[in-house]
Amino acid sequence: MAKEYTTPEGFEAVIGLEIHAQLLTHSKMFCGCSTEFGKGDNANTCPTCLGMPGALPVLNKKALEFSALIGLGLNCEVRKESVFARKNYFYPDLPKGYQISQFDKPLCENGHLEYLSDGTKKRVRIERAHMEEDAGKSTHHGTYSVVNYNRSSVPLLEIVSGPDMRGPLEAADYARAVRAILVYLDVCDGNLEEGSMRCDCNVSVRRSGEQKLGTKVEIKNINSFRFIEKALQFEIERQVDAVQSGEKIVQETRLYDPDKNRTFTMRTKEEAHDYRYFPEPDLLPVVIDEAFMNEVRAKLPELPLQKAYRFQKEYEIPEYDAFVLTQSRELADYFELVARSTENPKISSNWVMVELLAKLNEQKMGITRSPVPASALAGLINLMQKGVISGRTAKDVFAEMFETGASAEQIIKEKGLAQISGNDEIKKVIQEVFVNSPNQLAQYRSGKDKLFGYFVGQVMKATSGQANPEVTNELLKEMLKGS
Amino acid sequence: MATMQKIKNHAEELASQIRDGSFKAVDAVESSLDKIQKKNSALNAIISTLNERALDRAQQIDKATTRNGKLFGVPVVVKDNFCVEGSQTTAGSKILKGFVSNYSATVIERLEAQGAVVIAKANMDEFAMGSSNENSAYGAVKNPWNEACVPGGSSGGSAAAVASEMAPIALGTDTGGSIRLPAHYCGVYGLKPTYGRVSRYGIVAFASSLDQAGPMARSVRDLSLAYDSVAGFDHKDSTTYTETAVDTYSKLTSNIKGKRIGVVTSHIENVDQNNKELITKAIDTLKSLGATVVEIDLPYTENSISVYYMIATSEASSNLARYDGIRYGVRAEGATLDELYENSRGLGFGPEVKRRIMLGTYALSSGYYDAYYKKACQVRRLIKNGFQAAFEKCDLIVGPVATSSAFKLTERSQDPLKMYLNDIYTTSINLAGLPALSAPIGIQKDGLPVGLHLIAKAYDEQVLLNVALSLEEALPGFERTAGVRG
């Protein structure tokens, strides 16, 4: 997006997100079935996740641990006693006729998340994060439908933000920040396209200055960060148009269609289910003791925000760089390795942020697949700092490294790219330049200082850019004075 | 069938003879199946028999080299809401007609681990909803003592099977009195264990916070053996109590000296004269055996029927949502998904089940939840506290199981509220999660048996069994089985 979208003049959008994170446990939430993806239809099922008569749920302790860990990562209070509840509705992919979720006593509450969006620091409240099981998957074939229950009872944590976001980019960046934490914690792979992270957006608009919230609309079926932005943009425009033409916004659930880039009604409030929540009698309240919380706390790694603050302090890099470099654990680790090996964090940060990330983005590669490992980039930076090559040459060498995977030293050697820094060598070149440019020399000596750049250019041309610029400048100044 | 030996009277004796090889499991099983064949047309106590499976198991038991097991070779009848792998499990409902379970309930596995042989699935009120066993899609069960009378419900088939000697032991489930009521009406012992004592895994759920499986038998010692076989922690049921090995049998004693017995006089005053006389006599017997009687008060129990029907129907409305015609059971076609649901459930469920689903759905609806479900849960807490306070003054409570003995078939089936009032003495026990036992204490003038309701504090099944044993030994003998028709 070239420019951040702005809400039409005189209006404010209010946005809250519900993010479903699929937890990376080996077994399902309430039975021992595998969560492995891509197995044959209904291969990962048992009486419990098929809702057979008489089958009962038993809580997966790992799912609880992962959920508590996310709670801590989002600065939430983790309840000492939380309660599972049944959410009742009929659908073929819901084998029991109810989903086991949490209602009035969720595991995590009252958290917040700070992140950077469009260069500005944002803070969004996390109202709650509750555990629930996934449903199966229905596929429709014209006259009949089939259901695959492999996903039934796979553990999810639903993270509900406060209505704290005001624009589409801010909302998408919030989702990115949540994803970063989930991935840092290694409890969710955060893949929107594959549905291991799902995002529903609640959005309403109101006239600027208005205190009362407008009627909210929920948008489902958004499977990329870009679509969060696009769906919200469409929806804000739609709602503002409606308000301006005097229409009433209907409380409803809408679906986003990325092909048409629009949202359309899925069901209105009148058609909404009465879920008849009540405490799940088959499961006891989840009681968490200090020992368990200590175990979880011990597993909490340094999170993006803390890392960003540390980078700013320890490496004295700008806030923006610190936030970008801590987007993923792997990128942060990469940068730290380069910074430590070069002992020059600022240059390291520039190289990682500008050269490396640009190339990676161009190739749509993640940092883990970078053809230039951190040690190799550090090697290149060190050669540049020692003056073996110039900054300009370094960029070419880097491009070569990225393409071939060879080391900087190898490339410099093979291509003879090492910088010429020897005084005698450069003096010889300058003398040749003087011989070939008698007119310019005379003009310079008669006061035309501007021609200095011309001589630098000629030296560089003669050495194919390998002459050390500092040494060249110094010698030129001296020799142009003439004797 | 080969031998037609008469099945031994009790599981205890039978298991011991099969263990030492003096009697064959195959003969015991054949004899049991034969009795079912003879008597079931009159009683309708059994929905299906497991002939092949049972005989296979009996043969294995006869050949086994390790010959231990509390119920070694003993034929057992289980209510048709227990899942037995590879066998039909209907829960008394048309919606599960022909449904074959693909796994076995934990209690079935445990029974089998003790050498028991499941021979048949007993008739029951549909989804265990009923007090007379007239709500079964497979027809009403008759009381073996008088076929014009109900056997009680919802475990009526199990009680009738034990009373008519089809098997020495049966399993039932008790959500609001469903083991104790039929035990009382059919003159057998029935134990509803403490909530959490027996795994619910693999038992078709009615109301999850109230359901509890338990044994029925013709002697206290058999009851104890069967209870010990199935009780204990199960990692597949999160609500089971942590104690793993339960052993009441080796601790059985009829010495009840010094036991304090709580009585609510008004409860006994309210029952039918015949019942009252026998209950009073039983209490006098307990006194003569060295127990003391204390008057206690059980506040809020007068609310137990309303509270029970709120909570039980709410949970049932959710538990029965899985019977939707999608994956198993009856499916009626429909033009849309909603029609498919409506038609399947409309066709599959009987009137009492529909009534309770609607009641429960209403009680949980937004806007009504606080006034009904939540309020009921609060009163449930008060009822539980009332029992706790009472148990500071006594070791167990005795009283009536119901206001009368078995009533006539169809006498109350047209009036659901009158039928619900049958459960007046039993539902509070489930609400409080306590163990209770119905012990036969005599036959009234019209020939129908009467049971005594014994209630203990949580996890003290032992005292119930001990006191029941003392009565069994002390009371004048009476024909405890209706097997005379043989």
Side-chain angles (χ1 to χ4, degrees), chain A residues 50-54 86 88 95, chain B residues 103 202 318-319 322 327-328 366:
Chain A
L50 285 175
M52 298 306 279
R86 290 188 187 175
N88 296 283
Chain B
Y103 74 106
S318 173
N319 281 333
R322 67 187 61 193
R327 286 148 298 131
Y328 46 75
S366 105

Side-chain angles (χ1 to χ4, degrees), chain A residues 61-122:
Chain A
K61 202 181 165 196
K62 205 78 195 167
L64 177 66
E65 186 189 304
F66 283 4
S67 300
L69 194 61
I70 297 171
L72 291 180
L74 296 171
N75 306 296
C76 290
E77 295 157 17
V78 178
R79 285 184 79 102
K80 288 203 168 70
E81 187 177 309
S82 63
V83 173
F84 282 105
R86 290 188 187 175
K87 180 178 179 179
N88 296 283
Y89 67 95
F90 284 96
Y91 202 69
D93 66 14
L94 194 68
K96 299 186 292 296
Y98 56 85
Q99 177 193 30
I100 304 177
S101 179
Q102 294 187 310
F103 186 52
D104 55 348
K105 289 174 181 164
L107 183 70
C108 313
E109 290 173 306
N110 305 325
H112 64 266
L113 178 60
E114 278 180 31
Y115 63 99
L116 208 64
S117 179
D118 199 25
T120 319
K121 202 190 288 169
K122 305 282 179 186

Side-chain angles (χ1 to χ4, degrees), chain B residues 32-110:
Chain B
S32 253
L33 289 170
D34 189 52
K35 281 215 169 112
I36 291 171
Q37 211 188 353
K38 276 190 186 150
K39 296 180 176 183
N40 201 45
S41 54
L43 298 178
N44 196 29
I46 302 298
I47 291 180
S48 60
T49 52
L50 282 63
N51 300 39
E52 209 177 309
R53 189 176 193 276
L55 286 167
D56 274 359
R57 281 196 52 82
Q59 272 159 7
Q60 282 169 28
I61 283 163
D62 285 332
K63 280 186 277 185
T65 44
T66 38
R67 308 189 69 78
N68 47 35
K70 296 185 209 295
L71 299 172
F72 201 71
V74 175
V76 174
V77 168
V78 300
K79 195 175 177 177
D80 206 22
N81 57 353
F82 289 87
C83 291
V84 178
E85 191 179 355
S87 313
Q88 179 184 254
T89 299
T90 68
S93 181
K94 190 175 168 184
I95 209 162
L96 284 176
K97 190 167 189 177
F99 166 73
V100 173
S101 179
N102 59 351
Y103 74 106
S104 285
T106 297
V107 289
I108 299 298
E109 287 178 350
R110 290 192 177 171

Side-chain angles (χ1 to χ4, degrees), chain A residues 46-48 50-59 86 88-98 104 147 149 274-284, chain B residues 83 96 99 102-103 195 200-204 208-209 235-239 314-315 317-319 321-324 326-328 337 341 345 361 364-366 369 373:
Chain A
C46 74
T48 295
L50 285 175
M52 298 306 279
L56 295 173
V58 175
L59 177 61
R86 290 188 187 175
N88 296 283
Y89 67 95
F90 284 96
Y91 202 69
D93 66 14
L94 194 68
K96 299 186 292 296
Y98 56 85
D104 55 348
V147 197
Y149 293 103
D274 177 355
Y275 290 123
R276 291 174 286 120
Y277 280 101
F278 74 104
E280 162 61 291
D282 287 330
L283 291 164
L284 301 175
Chain B
C83 291
L96 284 176
F99 166 73
N102 59 351
Y103 74 106
Y195 183 78
R200 293 181 294 113
Y201 186 79
I203 303 171
V204 176
S208 310
S209 76
H235 67 91
K236 290 178 184 162
D237 176 356
S238 310
T239 62
S314 294
E315 292 181 7
S317 72
S318 173
N319 281 333
R322 67 187 61 193
Y323 308 105
D324 55 6
I326 300 291
R327 286 148 298 131
Y328 46 75
L337 181 61
Y341 285 147
R345 289 166 69 83
T361 303
L364 289 176
S365 297
S366 105
Y369 180 88
Y373 183 79

Side-chain angles (χ1 to χ4, degrees), chain B residues 188-484:
Chain B
V188 298
Y189 290 93
L191 172 65
K192 183 211 93 78
T194 312
Y195 183 78
R197 264 298 195 198
V198 177
S199 168
R200 293 181 294 113
Y201 186 79
I203 303 171
V204 176
F206 162 14
S208 310
S209 76
L210 301 160
D211 292 347
Q212 188 61 200
M216 302 171 102
R218 291 190 302 269
S219 78
V220 173
R221 303 180 76 83
D222 280 6
L223 194 70
S224 160
L225 276 177
Y227 168 67
D228 288 353
S229 300
V230 296
F233 174 76
D234 177 19
H235 67 91
K236 290 178 184 162
D237 176 356
S238 310
T239 62
T240 49
Y241 183 57
T242 48
E243 198 174 315
T244 46
V246 174
D247 179 10
T248 57
Y249 182 74
S250 70
K251 294 179 207 139
L252 278 178
T253 168
S254 53
N255 179 359
I256 58 158
K257 261 197 196 92
K259 288 284 173 226
R260 298 165 305 163
I261 293 172
V263 169
V264 184
T265 305
S266 63
H267 285 183
I268 300 170
E269 291 300 325
N270 285 340
V271 302
D272 147 290
Q273 188 59 30
N274 276 311
N275 273 252
K276 196 163 112 185
E277 279 166 21
L278 285 166
I279 291 171
T280 311
K281 203 174 96 187
I283 293 173
D284 288 342
T285 306
L286 292 174
K287 277 198 243 178
S288 73
L289 293 170
T292 54
V293 171
V294 286
E295 178 69 26
I296 54 152
D297 182 33
L298 288 174
Y300 303 105
T301 48
E302 69 272 17
N303 301 106
S304 59
I305 295 230
S306 349
V307 171
Y308 170 80
Y309 278 95
M310 272 299 111
I311 292 175
T313 57
S314 294
E315 292 181 7
S317 72
S318 173
N319 281 333
L320 270 59
R322 67 187 61 193
Y323 308 105
D324 55 6
I326 300 291
R327 286 148 298 131
Y328 46 75
V330 166
R331 177 192 289 189
E333 297 303 327
T336 63
L337 181 61
D338 282 346
E339 266 182 37
L340 186 149
Y341 285 147
E342 283 165 25
N343 295 345
S344 302
R345 289 166 69 83
L347 185 76
F349 290 138
E352 182 59 29
V353 171
K354 285 177 187 164
R355 184 178 298 124
R356 295 198 194 191
I357 289 174
M358 284 191 282
L359 267 174
T361 303
Y362 184 77
L364 289 176
S365 297
S366 105
Y368 298 99
Y369 180 88
D370 285 355
Y372 295 116
Y373 183 79
K374 201 171 167 191
K375 180 65 79 187
C377 289
Q378 287 163 344
V379 181
R380 180 181 189 174
R381 183 83 232 168
L382 294 174
I383 290 170
K384 198 171 177 174
N385 292 347
F387 274 106
Q388 230 155 39
F391 281 118
E392 280 169 18
K393 289 198 263 176
C394 61
D395 302 307
L396 79 159
I397 298 167
V398 302
V401 179
T403 51
S404 71
S405 289
F407 48 88
K408 294 277 191 304
L409 284 152
T410 72
E411 188 183 300
R412 298 183 191 173
S413 53
Q414 294 316 306
D415 186 348
L417 274 183
K418 202 170 171 193
M419 190 69 93
Y420 293 173
L421 287 173
N422 261 343
D423 306 340
I424 184 124
Y425 299 118
T426 48
T427 52
S428 58
I429 311 308
N430 300 76
L431 290 168
L434 301 175
L437 188 154
S438 176
I441 50 170
I443 309 289
Q444 60 185 29
K445 292 181 196 90
D446 62 3
L448 288 171
V450 174
L452 181 71
H453 200 191
L454 293 80
I455 304 147
K457 52 178 173 291
Y459 309 113
D460 197 1
E461 284 81 1
Q462 187 77 51
V463 75
L464 297 178
L465 292 163
N466 289 350
V467 172
L469 184 67
S470 74
L471 282 173
E472 187 179 33
E473 288 175 3
L475 285 174
F478 67 95
E479 185 57 70
R480 276 207 183 79
T481 75
V484 278

